């Protein structure tokens, strides 16, 4: 099956610093990747859609200058949380879509971000 | 806008018994896909089952089956012979284009 990895799995940082999270499709090329945020005991909230070679499309209410997304290749998308604050602490999940495969998204294992 | 509603925040089932999780959705589109995802304590999202809206036959995957009622916009998941490993949060999801719209989730507990 299609495998998606995320790195790091958990990160703790100080307030005001920036954190980069990587999402890789390991055995397929993903034209589209997605970034979600999930709070405890809640559903996944789509933050942005990332297309290779073009600017990401952000959902309403998501600050694009705070959550920088880069999709430089067909196997890698990165999410950078800039000037992180404690309220940015959350679980971030990426997914990748294999072109033409019944709209299925393959999910990474997630990254737990804690901002002190 | 598409919405997905899971009206059961929590459900419990005895091991080896059957449980049904409910999901309704609202859309004006005719071509779409529906999914059930499982999120165990590890928080890895795992696809349980998918259904193409144009297919009348209900999808089945081993102990998991769905009851897809397109006119009623209902997509319930039945888990037969429940196992301890089935304990997880279950999310119903709708997809018309690339993006997924998730329901709020149902936390399933399996009692030994």
């Amino acid at each position: 099956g299609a495998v998606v990895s995320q790195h790091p799995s958990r990160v703790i940082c100080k307030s005001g610093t920036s954190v980069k999270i990587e999402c890789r499709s390991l055995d397929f090329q993903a034209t589209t990747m997605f970034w979600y945020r999930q709070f405890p005991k809640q559903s996944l909230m789509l933050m942005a859609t990332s297309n290779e070679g073009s600017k990401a499309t952000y959902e309403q209410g998501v600050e694009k200058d705070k959550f920088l997304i880069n999709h430089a290749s067909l196997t890698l998308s990165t999410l950078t949380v800039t000037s992180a604050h404690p309220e940015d602490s959350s679980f971030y999940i990426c997914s990748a879509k294999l072109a033409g495969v019944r709209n299925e998204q393959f999910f990474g294992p997630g990254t737990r971000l804690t901002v002190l | 806008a598409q919405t997905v509603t899971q009206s059961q925040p929590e459900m419990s089932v005895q091991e080896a018994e059957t449980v049904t999780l409910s999901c309704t959705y609202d859309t004006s589109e005719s071509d779409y896909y529906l999914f059930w995802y499982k999120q165990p304590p590890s928080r890895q999202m795992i696809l349980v089952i998918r259904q193409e809206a144009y297919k009348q036959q209900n999808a089945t995957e081993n102990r998991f089956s769905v009851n897809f009622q397109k006119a009623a916009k209902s997509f319930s998941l039945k888990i037969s012979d429940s196992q301890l490993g089935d304990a997880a949060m279950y999310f119903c999801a709708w997809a018309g284009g690339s993006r997924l719209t998730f329901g709020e989730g149902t936390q399933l507990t399996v009692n030994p």
Side-chain angles (χ1 to χ4, degrees):
Chain A
V3 179
V4 176
S5 70
Q6 268 184 256
H7 178 78
S9 58
R10 58 177 64 216
V11 57
I12 300 173
C13 69
K14 294 182 178 180
S15 185
T17 61
S18 295
V19 174
K20 180 185 286 188
I21 303 170
E22 292 186 347
C23 177
R24 294 182 184 272
S25 55
L26 298 184
D27 51 2
F28 67 101
Q29 293 185 331
T31 54
T32 305
M33 289 185 170
F34 304 85
W35 287 95
Y36 296 86
R37 184 173 181 175
Q38 186 181 32
F39 291 106
K41 298 188 184 299
Q42 294 189 20
S43 188
L44 281 70
M45 180 189 76
L46 180 65
M47 299 175 66
T49 301
S50 168
N51 291 297
E52 187 266 339
S54 63
K55 290 185 178 180
T57 301
Y58 290 82
E59 294 299 301
Q60 190 173 6
V62 178
E63 299 176 59
K64 62 180 181 181
D65 294 330
K66 179 164 193 60
F67 298 99
L68 300 178
I69 292 172
N70 183 277
H71 193 161
S73 76
L74 287 172
T75 59
L76 174 64
S77 177
T78 61
L79 168 67
T80 302
V81 182
T82 63
S83 187
H85 288 96
E87 58 265 31
D88 298 324
S89 298
S90 190
F91 193 68
Y92 293 87
I93 305 174
C94 75
S95 70
K97 181 176 178 299
L98 184 56
V101 180
R102 297 180 286 183
N103 280 42
E104 182 177 348
Q105 293 182 21
F106 301 92
F107 288 84
T111 297
R112 181 179 301 281
L113 170 63
T114 303
V115 185
L116 303 177
Chain B
Q2 282 65 232
T3 59
V4 178
T5 303
Q6 294 178 248
S7 59
Q8 307 154 316
E10 297 178 347
M11 290 283 285
S12 63
V13 63
Q14 289 296 127
E15 195 175 3
E17 297 295 310
T18 296
V19 64
T20 299
L21 307 184
S22 301
C23 173
T24 58
Y25 59 94
D26 188 21
T27 182
S28 58
E29 298 188 29
S30 58
D31 188 20
Y32 52 88
Y33 297 82
L34 295 163
F35 304 88
W36 278 98
Y37 283 93
K38 167 185 177 181
Q39 188 179 42
S42 68
R43 302 190 80 170
Q44 170 74 59
M45 294 288 284
I46 301 167
L47 177 66
V48 175
I49 199 166
R50 74 165 68 83
Q51 174 82 42
E52 291 91 337
Y54 67 87
K55 289 187 177 180
Q56 293 185 334
Q57 186 173 6
N58 289 324
T60 62
E61 287 288 342
N62 301 313
R63 297 183 295 107
F64 299 88
S65 62
V66 298
N67 183 2
F68 174 47
Q69 302 290 329
K70 190 172 183 178
K73 297 179 181 175
S74 171
F75 183 62
S76 61
L77 174 69
K78 185 171 80 172
I79 306 174
S80 304
D81 186 25
S82 297
Q83 301 176 359
L84 295 177
D86 295 334
M89 179 73 88
Y90 286 80
F91 292 101
C92 176
W94 178 99
S98 291
R99 56 182 292 167
L100 284 169
T101 299
F102 286 95
E104 305 93 329
T106 296
Q107 181 68 50
L108 178 66
T109 300
V110 181
N111 300 308

